[in-house]
Amino acid sequence: MFNRESILRSLNSENYYIDKHSLDLFLNDWKIDSIYEDEGGLEFYDDLALDKIKRGISLKAQGYSDDQIVLKLQ
C-alpha cells in the first residue's frame, strides 16, 4: 500500500517528476480512490492506483483530456 508521499517518491524515482499538488489534482480529476483511510485521515492506495497514475501521466503527455483519461483508466 502507498500513501501520497510514497506515491510521489515512487514516481520521482521512475522519472515521473510531479509535485504534491499535481498528484492531488490527478487523483481527483481521474477519479482514483483510496482503498483505505486510517483514523488520522491518511489515505492509502494500492498497486493498481499507482499504475493508473503512471498511465494517466503518459496519456496526459500525449495530449489526452482528463475526461478521455478517465475513460481509458476504467
Side-chain angles (χ1 to χ4, degrees), residues 10-62:
S10 177
L11 291 173
N12 287 325
S13 72
E14 296 180 33
N15 297 325
Y16 293 94
Y17 295 109
I18 67 169
D19 59 15
K20 184 181 181 315
H21 178 71
S22 298
L23 177 62
D24 291 343
L25 289 175
F26 292 159
L27 291 170
N28 184 48
D29 292 347
W30 300 339
K31 299 175 175 61
I32 300 173
D33 296 321
S34 62
I35 59 167
Y36 174 74
E37 184 175 337
D38 71 6
E39 61 277 350
L42 186 61
E43 295 176 314
F44 292 91
Y45 299 86
D46 59 2
D47 292 329
L48 180 60
L50 183 59
D51 290 340
K52 284 182 176 183
I53 294 166
K54 290 177 187 177
R55 185 160 183 242
I57 292 170
S58 176
L59 292 169
K60 190 76 163 173
Q62 295 174 41

